[in-house]
Coordinates of all heavy atoms in Angstrom, one line a residue:
M1 N 191.7 113.0 264.0 CA 191.2 112.5 262.7 C 191.8 113.4 261.6 O 192.1 114.5 261.9 CB 189.7 112.6 262.6 CG 189.0 111.5 263.5 SD 189.5 109.8 263.0 CE 188.7 109.7 261.3
S2 N 191.9 112.8 260.5 CA 192.5 113.6 259.4 C 191.4 114.1 258.4 O 191.6 113.9 257.2 CB 193.6 112.8 258.7 OG 193.1 111.5 258.4
E3 N 190.3 114.6 258.9 CA 189.3 115.1 258.0 C 189.6 116.5 257.6 O 190.2 117.3 258.4 CB 188.0 115.0 258.6 CG 187.4 113.6 258.7 CD 186.2 113.5 259.5 OE1 185.4 114.5 259.6 OE2 185.9 112.4 260.0
D4 N 189.3 116.9 256.4 CA 189.4 118.3 256.0 C 190.8 118.8 256.0 O 191.0 120.0 256.3 CB 188.5 119.2 256.8 CG 187.0 118.9 256.5 OD1 186.7 118.4 255.4 OD2 186.2 119.2 257.4
L5 N 191.8 117.9 255.8 CA 193.1 118.4 255.7 C 193.3 119.3 254.4 O 192.7 119.0 253.4 CB 194.1 117.3 255.7 CG 194.3 116.4 256.9 CD1 195.3 115.3 256.7 CD2 194.7 117.3 258.1
H6 N 194.1 120.3 254.5 CA 194.4 121.1 253.3 C 195.8 121.7 253.4 O 196.4 121.7 254.5 CB 193.4 122.2 253.2 CG 193.5 123.3 254.1 ND1 193.1 123.2 255.5 CD2 194.1 124.5 254.0 CE1 193.4 124.3 256.1 NE2 194.0 125.2 255.2
I7 N 196.3 122.1 252.3 CA 197.5 122.9 252.3 C 197.2 124.1 251.4 O 196.3 124.1 250.6 CB 198.7 122.1 251.7 CG1 198.5 121.7 250.2 CG2 199.0 120.9 252.5 CD1 199.8 121.2 249.5
L8 N 198.1 125.1 251.6 CA 198.0 126.3 250.7 C 199.2 126.3 249.8 O 200.3 126.3 250.3 CB 197.9 127.6 251.6 CG 196.7 127.7 252.5 CD1 196.9 128.9 253.5 CD2 195.4 127.9 251.7
C9 N 198.9 126.4 248.5 CA 200.0 126.4 247.6 C 199.9 127.6 246.7 O 198.9 127.8 246.0 CB 200.0 125.1 246.8 SG 201.4 125.0 245.6
T10 N 201.0 128.4 246.7 CA 201.0 129.6 245.8 C 201.7 129.2 244.5 O 202.8 128.7 244.6 CB 201.8 130.7 246.6 OG1 201.1 131.0 247.8 CG2 201.8 132.0 245.7
D11 N 201.1 129.6 243.4 CA 201.7 129.2 242.1 C 202.7 130.3 241.7 O 202.9 131.3 242.4 CB 200.6 128.9 241.1 CG 199.7 130.2 240.8 OD1 200.2 131.3 241.0 OD2 198.6 130.0 240.3
R12 N 203.2 130.1 240.5 CA 204.2 131.0 240.0 C 203.7 132.4 239.6 O 204.4 133.3 239.2 CB 205.0 130.3 238.9 CG 205.8 129.1 239.4 CD 206.7 128.5 238.3 NE 207.1 127.2 238.9 CZ 206.5 126.0 238.6 NH1 205.5 126.0 237.8 NH2 207.0 124.9 239.1
D13 N 202.4 132.5 239.5 CA 201.7 133.8 239.3 C 201.4 134.5 240.6 O 200.8 135.6 240.6 CB 200.5 133.6 238.4 CG 200.8 133.1 237.0 OD1 201.8 133.5 236.5 OD2 199.9 132.3 236.5
G14 N 201.7 133.9 241.7 CA 201.4 134.5 243.0 C 200.0 134.3 243.5 O 199.6 134.9 244.5
V15 N 199.3 133.4 242.8 CA 198.0 133.0 243.3 C 198.0 131.9 244.3 O 198.7 130.8 244.0 CB 197.1 132.6 242.1 CG1 195.7 132.3 242.5 CG2 197.0 133.8 241.1
T16 N 197.4 132.0 245.4 CA 197.4 131.0 246.4 C 196.1 130.1 246.3 O 195.0 130.6 246.2 CB 197.4 131.6 247.8 OG1 198.6 132.3 247.9 CG2 197.5 130.5 248.9
H17 N 196.4 128.8 246.3 CA 195.3 127.8 246.1 C 195.1 127.0 247.4 O 196.1 126.6 248.0 CB 195.6 126.8 245.0 CG 195.9 127.5 243.7 ND1 194.9 127.7 242.7 CD2 197.0 128.1 243.2 CE1 195.5 128.3 241.7 NE2 196.7 128.6 242.0
N18 N 193.9 126.8 247.8 CA 193.6 126.0 249.0 C 193.3 124.6 248.5 O 192.3 124.3 247.8 CB 192.4 126.6 249.7 CG 192.1 125.9 251.0 OD1 192.5 124.8 251.3 ND2 191.5 126.6 251.9
L19 N 194.3 123.7 248.7 CA 194.2 122.3 248.1 C 193.8 121.3 249.2 O 194.4 121.2 250.2 CB 195.5 121.9 247.6 CG 196.2 122.9 246.6 CD1 197.5 122.3 246.1 CD2 195.3 123.2 245.4
P20 N 192.7 120.5 248.9 CA 192.4 119.4 249.8 C 193.6 118.4 249.9 O 194.2 118.1 248.8 CB 191.2 118.7 249.2 CG 191.1 119.2 247.8 CD 191.9 120.5 247.7
A21 N 193.9 117.9 251.0 CA 195.0 117.0 251.2 C 194.6 115.7 251.9 O 193.7 115.7 252.6 CB 196.1 117.8 252.0
I22 N 195.4 114.7 251.7 CA 195.1 113.4 252.2 C 196.3 112.9 253.1 O 197.5 113.0 252.7 CB 194.8 112.4 251.1 CG1 193.6 112.8 250.3 CG2 194.7 111.0 251.7 CD1 193.3 111.9 249.1
D23 N 196.0 112.5 254.3 CA 197.0 112.0 255.2 C 197.9 111.0 254.6 O 197.4 110.0 253.9 CB 196.3 111.4 256.4 CG 197.2 111.2 257.6 OD1 198.2 111.9 257.7 OD2 197.0 110.3 258.4
G24 N 199.2 111.1 254.7 CA 200.1 110.2 254.2 C 200.6 110.4 252.7 O 201.5 109.7 252.3
W25 N 199.9 111.3 252.0 CA 200.3 111.6 250.7 C 201.5 112.5 250.7 O 201.7 113.3 251.6 CB 199.1 112.3 249.9 CG 198.1 111.3 249.4 CD1 197.6 110.2 250.0 CD2 197.4 111.5 248.1 NE1 196.7 109.6 249.2 CE2 196.5 110.4 248.1 CE3 197.4 112.4 247.1 CZ2 195.6 110.2 247.0 CZ3 196.5 112.3 246.0 CH2 195.7 111.2 246.0
R26 N 202.3 112.4 249.6 CA 203.4 113.3 249.5 C 202.8 114.7 249.1 O 201.8 114.8 248.3 CB 204.3 112.9 248.3 CG 204.9 111.5 248.6 CD 205.5 111.0 247.2 NE 205.9 109.6 247.3 CZ 207.1 109.2 247.6 NH1 208.1 110.1 247.7 NH2 207.4 108.0 247.7
I27 N 203.4 115.8 249.6 CA 202.9 117.1 249.3 C 203.0 117.3 247.7 O 202.1 117.9 247.1 CB 203.8 118.2 250.0 CG1 203.7 118.0 251.5 CG2 203.4 119.6 249.6 CD1 202.3 118.1 252.1
M28 N 204.0 116.7 247.1 CA 204.1 116.8 245.7 C 202.9 116.2 245.0 O 202.3 116.8 244.1 CB 205.4 116.0 245.2 CG 205.5 115.9 243.7 SD 204.6 114.4 243.1 CE 205.7 113.1 243.4
E29 N 202.4 115.1 245.5 CA 201.2 114.4 244.9 C 200.0 115.3 245.1 O 199.1 115.4 244.2 CB 201.0 113.1 245.5 CG 202.1 112.1 245.2 CD 202.0 110.8 246.1 OE1 201.7 110.9 247.3 OE2 202.2 109.7 245.5
I30 N 199.9 115.9 246.2 CA 198.7 116.8 246.5 C 198.7 118.0 245.5 O 197.7 118.3 244.9 CB 198.7 117.2 248.0 CG1 198.6 116.0 248.9 CG2 197.7 118.3 248.2 CD1 198.9 116.3 250.3
I31 N 199.9 118.6 245.3 CA 200.0 119.7 244.4 C 199.6 119.2 243.0 O 198.8 119.8 242.3 CB 201.4 120.3 244.5 CG1 201.6 120.9 245.8 CG2 201.6 121.4 243.4 CD1 203.1 121.3 246.1
R32 N 200.2 118.1 242.6 CA 200.1 117.6 241.2 C 198.6 117.2 240.9 O 198.0 117.5 239.9 CB 201.0 116.5 241.0 CG 201.1 116.0 239.5 CD 201.9 114.7 239.5 NE 201.3 113.6 240.3 CZ 201.9 112.5 240.6 NH1 203.2 112.3 240.1 NH2 201.3 111.6 241.3
D33 N 198.1 116.4 241.8 CA 196.7 115.9 241.6 C 195.7 117.0 241.7 O 194.5 116.7 241.2 CB 196.4 114.8 242.6 CG 197.2 113.5 242.3 OD1 198.2 113.6 241.6 OD2 196.7 112.4 242.7
N34 N 196.0 118.1 242.2 CA 195.0 119.2 242.2 C 195.3 120.1 241.0 O 194.7 121.2 240.9 CB 195.2 120.1 243.5 CG 194.4 119.4 244.6 OD1 193.2 119.4 244.7 ND2 195.1 118.8 245.5
G35 N 196.2 119.7 240.1 CA 196.3 120.3 238.8 C 197.2 121.5 238.7 O 197.2 122.2 237.7
L36 N 198.0 121.7 239.8 CA 199.0 122.8 239.7 C 200.2 122.4 239.0 O 200.6 121.2 239.0 CB 199.3 123.3 241.1 CG 198.2 124.0 241.8 CD1 198.7 124.7 243.1 CD2 197.5 125.1 241.0
P37 N 200.9 123.3 238.3 CA 202.0 122.9 237.4 C 203.3 122.6 238.2 O 204.2 123.4 238.3 CB 202.2 124.2 236.6 CG 201.7 125.3 237.4 CD 200.7 124.8 238.3
I38 N 203.4 121.4 238.7 CA 204.6 120.9 239.3 C 205.1 119.7 238.5 O 204.3 118.9 238.2 CB 204.4 120.6 240.8 CG1 205.7 120.3 241.5 CG2 203.5 119.4 241.0 CD1 205.7 120.3 243.0
K39 N 206.3 119.8 238.0 CA 206.8 118.7 237.1 C 206.9 117.4 237.8 O 206.4 116.4 237.3 CB 208.1 119.1 236.5 CG 207.9 119.9 235.2 CD 209.3 119.9 234.4 CE 209.2 120.9 233.3 NZ 210.6 121.4 233.0
A40 N 207.7 117.4 238.8 CA 207.9 116.1 239.6 C 208.2 114.9 238.6 O 207.5 113.9 238.7 CB 206.6 115.8 240.4
E41 N 209.1 115.2 237.8 CA 209.4 114.2 236.7 C 209.7 112.8 237.1 O 209.3 111.8 236.5 CB 210.6 114.7 235.9 CG 210.3 115.8 234.9 CD 211.5 116.5 234.4 OE1 212.6 116.4 234.9 OE2 211.3 117.3 233.4
C42 N 210.3 112.6 238.3 CA 210.7 111.3 238.7 C 209.6 110.6 239.5 O 209.8 109.5 240.0 CB 212.0 111.3 239.4 SG 211.9 111.8 241.1
G43 N 208.5 111.3 239.8 CA 207.4 110.7 240.5 C 207.7 110.5 242.0 O 207.0 109.7 242.6
G44 N 208.7 111.1 242.5 CA 208.9 111.0 243.9 C 210.1 110.2 244.3 O 210.3 109.8 245.5
A45 N 210.9 109.8 243.3 CA 212.1 108.9 243.6 C 213.3 109.7 244.0 O 214.4 109.1 244.1 CB 212.3 108.1 242.3
L46 N 213.2 111.0 244.2 CA 214.4 111.8 244.6 C 215.4 111.8 243.5 O 216.6 111.7 243.8 CB 214.9 111.3 245.9 CG 215.7 112.2 246.8 CD1 215.0 113.6 247.0 CD2 215.9 111.6 248.2
E47 N 215.0 111.9 242.3 CA 216.0 111.8 241.2 C 215.9 113.1 240.3 O 216.6 113.1 239.3 CB 215.8 110.6 240.4 CG 216.3 109.4 241.1 CD 216.0 108.1 240.4 OE1 215.4 108.1 239.3 OE2 216.4 107.0 240.9
C48 N 215.0 114.0 240.5 CA 214.8 115.1 239.5 C 214.9 116.5 240.1 O 215.2 117.4 239.4 CB 213.5 114.9 238.8 SG 212.0 115.3 239.8
A49 N 214.5 116.7 241.3 CA 214.5 118.0 241.9 C 213.5 119.0 241.3 O 213.5 120.2 241.5 CB 215.9 118.7 242.0
T50 N 212.5 118.5 240.4 CA 211.5 119.3 239.8 C 210.3 119.4 240.6 O 209.2 119.9 240.2 CB 211.2 118.9 238.4 OG1 210.7 117.5 238.4 CG2 212.4 118.9 237.5
C51 N 210.3 119.0 241.9 CA 209.2 119.1 242.8 C 209.6 120.2 243.9 O 209.0 120.2 245.0 CB 208.9 117.8 243.5 SG 210.2 117.1 244.4
H52 N 210.5 121.0 243.5 CA 211.1 122.0 244.4 C 210.0 123.1 244.9 O 209.3 123.7 244.0 CB 212.2 122.7 243.7 CG 212.9 123.8 244.4 ND1 213.7 124.7 243.8 CD2 213.0 124.1 245.8 CE1 214.2 125.6 244.7 NE2 213.8 125.2 245.9
V53 N 209.9 123.3 246.2 CA 209.0 124.3 246.7 C 209.7 125.1 247.8 O 210.7 124.6 248.4 CB 207.7 123.7 247.3 CG1 206.8 123.0 246.3 CG2 208.0 122.8 248.5
Y54 N 209.2 126.3 248.1 CA 209.6 127.0 249.2 C 208.5 126.8 250.3 O 207.4 127.0 250.1 CB 209.7 128.5 248.9 CG 210.7 128.8 247.8 CD1 210.3 129.5 246.6 CD2 212.0 128.3 247.8 CE1 211.1 129.7 245.6 CE2 212.9 128.6 246.7 CZ 212.4 129.3 245.6 OH 213.3 129.5 244.6
V55 N 209.0 126.5 251.5 CA 208.1 126.3 252.6 C 208.0 127.6 253.4 O 209.1 128.2 253.8 CB 208.6 125.2 253.5 CG1 207.7 125.0 254.7 CG2 208.6 123.9 252.7
A56 N 206.8 128.1 253.8 CA 206.7 129.3 254.6 C 207.5 129.1 255.9 O 207.4 128.0 256.5 CB 205.3 129.6 254.9
P57 N 208.3 130.1 256.3 CA 209.2 129.9 257.4 C 208.5 129.4 258.7 O 209.1 128.6 259.4 CB 209.7 131.3 257.7 CG 209.7 131.9 256.3 CD 208.5 131.4 255.6
A58 N 207.3 129.8 258.9 CA 206.6 129.3 260.2 C 206.4 127.8 260.2 O 206.2 127.2 261.3 CB 205.3 130.0 260.3
W59 N 206.5 127.2 259.1 CA 206.2 125.7 259.0 C 207.5 124.9 259.0 O 207.5 123.7 259.2 CB 205.4 125.4 257.7 CG 204.0 125.9 257.8 CD1 203.6 127.1 257.4 CD2 202.9 125.2 258.4 NE1 202.2 127.2 257.7 CE2 201.8 126.0 258.3 CE3 202.8 123.9 259.0 CZ2 200.6 125.7 258.8 CZ3 201.6 123.6 259.5 CH2 200.5 124.4 259.4
L60 N 208.6 125.5 258.8 CA 209.9 124.8 258.6 C 210.2 123.8 259.8 O 210.6 122.7 259.6 CB 211.1 125.7 258.5 CG 211.2 126.4 257.1 CD1 212.3 127.4 257.1 CD2 211.4 125.3 256.0
D61 N 209.9 124.3 261.0 CA 210.2 123.4 262.2 C 209.3 122.2 262.3 O 209.6 121.3 263.0 CB 210.2 124.3 263.5 CG 211.3 125.2 263.5 OD1 212.3 125.1 262.8 OD2 211.3 126.1 264.4
K62 N 208.2 122.3 261.6 CA 207.2 121.2 261.8 C 207.5 120.1 260.8 O 207.0 119.0 260.9 CB 205.8 121.7 261.5 CG 205.4 122.8 262.5 CD 203.9 123.0 262.4 CE 203.3 123.8 263.6 NZ 203.7 125.2 263.5
L63 N 208.4 120.3 259.9 CA 208.7 119.3 258.9 C 209.8 118.3 259.4 O 210.6 118.7 260.2 CB 209.3 119.9 257.6 CG 208.4 121.0 257.0 CD1 209.0 121.5 255.7 CD2 207.0 120.4 256.7
V64 N 209.7 117.1 258.9 CA 210.8 116.1 259.1 C 212.0 116.7 258.5 O 212.0 117.2 257.4 CB 210.4 114.8 258.5 CG1 211.5 113.8 258.7 CG2 209.1 114.2 259.2
E65 N 213.1 116.6 259.2 CA 214.4 117.1 258.6 C 214.8 116.5 257.3 O 214.5 115.3 257.1 CB 215.5 116.9 259.6 CG 215.6 118.1 260.6 CD 216.9 118.0 261.4 OE1 217.9 117.6 260.9 OE2 216.8 118.2 262.6
K66 N 215.5 117.3 256.5 CA 215.9 116.7 255.2 C 216.9 115.6 255.4 O 217.8 115.7 256.3 CB 216.7 117.9 254.5 CG 215.8 118.8 253.7 CD 216.6 119.7 252.9 CE 217.3 120.7 253.7 NZ 217.2 122.1 253.4
R67 N 216.8 114.6 254.6 CA 217.9 113.6 254.6 C 219.0 114.1 253.7 O 218.8 115.0 252.9 CB 217.3 112.3 254.0 CG 216.3 111.6 254.9 CD 215.9 110.3 254.4 NE 215.3 110.4 253.1 CZ 215.3 109.5 252.1 NH1 216.0 108.4 252.3 NH2 214.7 109.7 250.9
D68 N 220.2 113.5 253.8 CA 221.3 114.0 253.0 C 221.0 113.9 251.5 O 221.4 114.7 250.7 CB 222.6 113.1 253.3 CG 223.1 113.4 254.7 OD1 222.7 114.4 255.3 OD2 224.0 112.6 255.2
E69 N 220.3 112.8 251.2 CA 219.9 112.6 249.8 C 219.1 113.8 249.2 O 219.3 114.2 248.1 CB 219.2 111.3 249.6 CG 220.0 110.0 249.8 CD 219.9 109.6 251.3 OE1 219.6 110.4 252.2 OE2 220.2 108.4 251.6
E70 N 218.2 114.3 250.1 CA 217.4 115.4 249.6 C 218.3 116.6 249.5 O 218.1 117.4 248.5 CB 216.2 115.7 250.6 CG 215.3 116.8 250.1 CD 214.2 117.2 251.1 OE1 213.9 116.3 252.0 OE2 213.6 118.2 250.9
D71 N 219.1 116.8 250.4 CA 220.0 118.0 250.3 C 220.9 117.9 249.0 O 221.0 118.9 248.3 CB 221.0 118.0 251.5 CG 220.7 119.1 252.5 OD1 220.0 120.1 252.1 OD2 221.0 118.9 253.7
E72 N 221.4 116.8 248.8 CA 222.2 116.6 247.6 C 221.4 116.9 246.3 O 221.9 117.6 245.4 CB 222.8 115.2 247.5 CG 224.0 115.0 248.4 CD 224.3 113.6 248.7 OE1 224.0 112.7 247.8 OE2 224.9 113.3 249.8
K73 N 220.2 116.4 246.3 CA 219.4 116.6 245.1 C 219.0 118.0 244.9 O 218.9 118.6 243.8 CB 218.2 115.6 245.1 CG 217.4 115.5 243.9 CD 218.2 115.3 242.6 CE 218.9 113.9 242.6 NZ 219.7 113.8 241.3
L74 N 218.7 118.7 246.1 CA 218.4 120.1 246.0 C 219.5 121.0 245.4 O 219.2 122.0 244.8 CB 218.1 120.6 247.5 CG 216.6 120.8 247.9 CD1 216.6 121.2 249.3 CD2 215.9 121.7 247.0
D75 N 220.7 120.5 245.5 CA 221.8 121.3 244.9 C 221.6 121.4 243.4 O 222.1 122.4 242.8 CB 223.1 120.5 245.2 CG 223.6 120.8 246.6 OD1 223.1 121.7 247.2 OD2 224.6 120.1 247.0
E76 N 220.9 120.5 242.8 CA 220.6 120.6 241.4 C 219.5 121.5 241.0 O 219.2 121.7 239.9 CB 220.4 119.2 240.8 CG 221.6 118.3 241.0 CD 221.3 116.8 240.7 OE1 220.3 116.6 240.0 OE2 222.0 115.9 241.1
A77 N 218.7 121.9 242.0 CA 217.5 122.7 241.7 C 217.9 124.1 241.4 O 219.0 124.6 241.7 CB 216.5 122.6 242.9
F78 N 216.9 124.9 240.9 CA 217.1 126.3 240.5 C 216.7 127.2 241.6 O 215.7 127.0 242.2 CB 216.3 126.4 239.2 CG 216.4 127.8 238.5 CD1 217.6 128.2 238.0 CD2 215.3 128.6 238.4 CE1 217.7 129.5 237.4 CE2 215.3 129.8 237.8 CZ 216.5 130.2 237.3
M79 N 217.5 128.2 241.9 CA 217.2 129.2 242.9 C 216.8 128.6 244.2 O 215.7 128.8 244.8 CB 216.0 130.1 242.4 CG 216.5 131.0 241.3 SD 215.3 132.2 240.8 CE 215.0 133.2 242.2
V80 N 217.7 127.9 244.8 CA 217.5 127.2 246.1 C 217.7 128.3 247.2 O 218.6 129.1 247.1 CB 218.6 126.1 246.3 CG1 218.5 125.5 247.7 CG2 218.4 125.0 245.2
K81 N 216.8 128.2 248.1 CA 216.8 129.1 249.3 C 216.9 128.3 250.6 O 216.7 127.1 250.6 CB 215.5 130.0 249.3 CG 215.3 130.9 248.1 CD 214.1 131.7 248.4 CE 213.7 132.4 247.1 NZ 212.4 133.2 247.3
R82 N 217.0 129.0 251.7 CA 217.1 128.4 253.0 C 215.8 127.5 253.2 O 215.9 126.5 253.9 CB 217.2 129.4 254.0 CG 217.7 128.9 255.4 CD 217.8 130.1 256.4 NE 216.5 130.7 256.5 CZ 215.5 130.3 257.4 NH1 215.8 129.2 258.1 NH2 214.4 130.9 257.5
N83 N 214.7 128.0 252.7 CA 213.4 127.2 253.0 C 213.0 126.4 251.8 O 211.9 126.0 251.7 CB 212.3 128.2 253.3 CG 212.1 129.2 252.2 OD1 212.9 129.5 251.4 ND2 210.9 129.8 252.2
S84 N 214.0 126.0 251.0 CA 213.7 125.1 249.9 C 213.5 123.7 250.4 O 214.3 123.2 251.3 CB 214.9 125.1 248.9 OG 214.9 126.3 248.2
R85 N 212.6 123.0 249.8 CA 212.4 121.5 250.1 C 212.0 120.9 248.8 O 211.4 121.5 247.9 CB 211.4 121.3 251.2 CG 211.7 121.7 252.6 CD 212.9 120.9 253.1 NE 212.7 119.5 253.2 CZ 212.4 118.8 254.3 NH1 212.3 119.4 255.5 NH2 212.2 117.5 254.3
L86 N 212.2 119.6 248.7 CA 211.6 118.8 247.6 C 210.3 118.2 248.2 O 210.3 117.5 249.1 CB 212.6 117.7 247.2 CG 213.9 118.2 246.6 CD1 214.8 117.0 246.2 CD2 213.6 119.1 245.4
S87 N 209.2 118.6 247.5 CA 207.9 118.3 248.1 C 207.5 116.8 248.0 O 206.6 116.4 248.7 CB 206.8 119.2 247.4 OG 206.8 118.9 246.0
C88 N 208.3 116.0 247.3 CA 208.0 114.6 247.3 C 208.5 113.9 248.6 O 208.3 112.8 248.8 CB 208.6 113.9 246.1 SG 210.4 113.8 246.0
Q89 N 209.3 114.7 249.3 CA 209.9 114.1 250.5 C 209.2 114.6 251.8 O 209.6 114.3 252.9 CB 211.4 114.5 250.6 CG 212.2 114.0 249.5 CD 212.2 112.5 249.3 OE1 212.5 111.8 250.2 NE2 211.7 112.0 248.2
I90 N 208.1 115.2 251.6 CA 207.3 115.7 252.8 C 205.9 114.9 252.7 O 205.2 115.0 251.7 CB 207.0 117.2 252.8 CG1 208.3 117.9 252.6 CG2 206.3 117.6 254.0 CD1 208.2 119.4 252.4
L91 N 205.6 114.2 253.8 CA 204.3 113.5 253.8 C 203.3 114.3 254.6 O 203.6 114.8 255.7 CB 204.5 112.1 254.5 CG 205.4 111.1 253.8 CD1 205.4 109.8 254.5 CD2 205.0 110.9 252.3
M92 N 202.1 114.3 254.1 CA 201.0 115.0 254.7 C 200.7 114.3 256.0 O 200.7 113.1 256.1 CB 199.8 115.1 253.8 CG 198.7 116.0 254.3 SD 199.3 117.7 254.3 CE 198.1 118.4 255.4
S93 N 200.3 115.2 257.0 CA 199.9 114.6 258.3 C 199.0 115.7 259.0 O 198.9 116.8 258.5 CB 201.1 114.4 259.2 OG 201.7 115.6 259.5
D94 N 198.3 115.3 260.0 CA 197.5 116.2 260.8 C 198.3 117.5 261.2 O 197.8 118.6 261.1 CB 196.9 115.6 262.0 CG 195.8 114.6 261.7 OD1 195.3 114.7 260.6 OD2 195.5 113.8 262.5
E95 N 199.5 117.2 261.6 CA 200.4 118.3 262.0 C 200.6 119.4 261.0 O 200.9 120.5 261.3 CB 201.7 117.7 262.5 CG 202.0 118.1 263.9 CD 203.5 118.1 264.2 OE1 204.3 117.4 263.4 OE2 203.9 118.7 265.2
L96 N 200.6 118.9 259.7 CA 200.9 119.8 258.6 C 199.6 120.4 258.0 O 199.7 121.1 256.9 CB 201.7 119.1 257.5 CG 203.1 118.6 258.0 CD1 203.8 118.0 256.8 CD2 203.9 119.7 258.6
N97 N 198.5 120.3 258.7 CA 197.3 120.9 258.1 C 197.4 122.4 258.0 O 197.7 123.1 259.0 CB 196.1 120.5 259.1 CG 194.8 120.8 258.4 OD1 194.7 120.9 257.2 ND2 193.7 120.9 259.2
G98 N 197.2 122.9 256.8 CA 197.4 124.3 256.6 C 198.8 124.7 256.1 O 199.1 125.9 255.9
L99 N 199.6 123.7 255.9 CA 201.0 124.0 255.4 C 201.0 124.9 254.2 O 200.2 124.8 253.3 CB 201.6 122.6 255.0 CG 203.0 122.7 254.3 CD1 204.0 123.0 255.4 CD2 203.4 121.4 253.7
E100 N 201.9 125.9 254.2 CA 202.0 126.9 253.1 C 203.3 126.7 252.4 O 204.4 126.7 252.9 CB 202.0 128.3 253.7 CG 200.7 128.7 254.4 CD 201.0 129.9 255.3 OE1 201.2 131.0 254.8 OE2 200.9 129.7 256.5
V101 N 203.1 126.4 251.1 CA 204.3 126.3 250.2 C 204.1 127.1 248.9 O 203.0 127.5 248.6 CB 204.5 124.8 249.8 CG1 204.8 123.9 251.0 CG2 203.3 124.3 249.0
T102 N 205.2 127.4 248.3 CA 205.2 128.2 247.1 C 206.0 127.4 246.0 O 207.1 126.9 246.3 CB 205.9 129.6 247.3 OG1 205.1 130.3 248.3 CG2 205.9 130.4 246.0
L103 N 205.4 127.3 244.8 CA 206.2 126.6 243.8 C 207.4 127.4 243.4 O 207.3 128.6 243.2 CB 205.3 126.5 242.5 CG 204.0 125.6 242.6 CD1 203.3 125.6 241.3 CD2 204.3 124.2 243.1
A104 N 208.5 126.7 243.4 CA 209.8 127.4 243.0 C 209.8 127.6 241.5 O 209.1 126.9 240.7 CB 211.0 126.5 243.4
P105 N 210.6 128.6 241.0 CA 210.7 128.8 239.5 C 211.3 127.5 238.9 O 212.0 126.8 239.5 CB 211.6 130.0 239.4 CG 211.9 130.5 240.7 CD 211.4 129.5 241.7
E106 N 210.9 127.3 237.6 CA 211.5 126.2 236.9 C 212.8 126.7 236.3 O 212.9 127.8 235.9 CB 210.5 125.8 235.7 CG 209.3 125.1 236.3 CD 208.3 124.6 235.2 OE1 208.3 125.3 234.2 OE2 207.7 123.6 235.4
G107 N 213.8 125.8 236.3 CA 215.1 126.2 235.8 C 215.2 126.3 234.3 O 214.3 126.0 233.6
Ligands
LIG1 S1 209.6 114.3 242.3 FE1 211.6 114.0 241.6 S2 212.8 114.6 243.4 FE2 210.7 115.0 244.0

């Protein structure tokens, strides 16, 4: 069952927030709807790269691999790292309960 799902999101001040999450929602939506400052200008259409987050290394293998389109769009993001992802391309699931992400700096 997908009760009590949550993710941990660290904001740009270094404060970590425990956010309730819903199965099937985009991680971007979970962050945004909980009031954290993520721009996500394109609303998840893979056109803006302003939903950029860093995923804690321990979680990287649990994520669905990046599609080429995500990789290409990430090239436009600011301060891209090996663990960079666009959070609109990650869907919440039981497997990702407790996922740890950090908001990337805004360009
Ligand atoms: S919200 Fe625009 S690319 Fe993710």
